[in-house]
Amino acid sequence: MIKIMNFHNMGFLDIKVPDLLFNLLKKECKIALNSNKEMKSGLSGKGVATHVYIQNKKTLNELDSFLKELITVYRQNFKLDPSRTKTLTNNVPFKMGPPWINYQKKYEFIPQHTHDGIFSYTIWIDLPNNEGEYASTFQFTYSDIQGALRTNNIKLNKKDNGRMLFFPSTVNHQVYPFYNSNKQRVSISGNILLDASTYD
């Protein structure tokens, strides 16, 4: 008899965002570019999508509630869980970091990077239709058990508006440019951190 065994690994959640939350996020995205505070990061620069913070309190509260549900779902489904850290002497609660909107124009991209925190997420709000194997693709890059680089490509089109990925913050990811649409590609990203302020 031969048993097929896999090594434990972390994964990601692929989610359809509830309509109420999606509509709140979409509404803010329509006005935020001209009214909300811009986020500057180590990725900011020429050819990279513009980042703007979400500021509406109702939207933030609705997003926070949904993210707490996803933490529970993730921990129930993956035995290897980045939130079960061995470096803290006390358990601390989770806290949502300030989420931001990505406004990506034709030919712009988001370079490969990781995030701060324990979990991160991306929500697609308004995607252009694209042609080509990698156009507008969201790509995870990670090492397998032998140390070889692997990729997981999420090819995206307009039908994916309202789709969300929830994943460990340390996983490398990037967004490819698109070429055949003059529409902006709008998405939302953010991080979930451990809140040590309760012990200040």
Side-chain angles (χ1 to χ4, degrees), residues 26-44:
K26 188 174 182 179
K27 182 178 179 181
E28 180 146 8
C29 288
K30 288 181 177 179
I31 62 167
L33 185 59
N34 297 316
S35 61
N36 291 17
K37 183 180 177 183
E38 185 174 353
M39 179 190 122
K40 296 288 187 181
S41 74
L43 301 178
S44 299

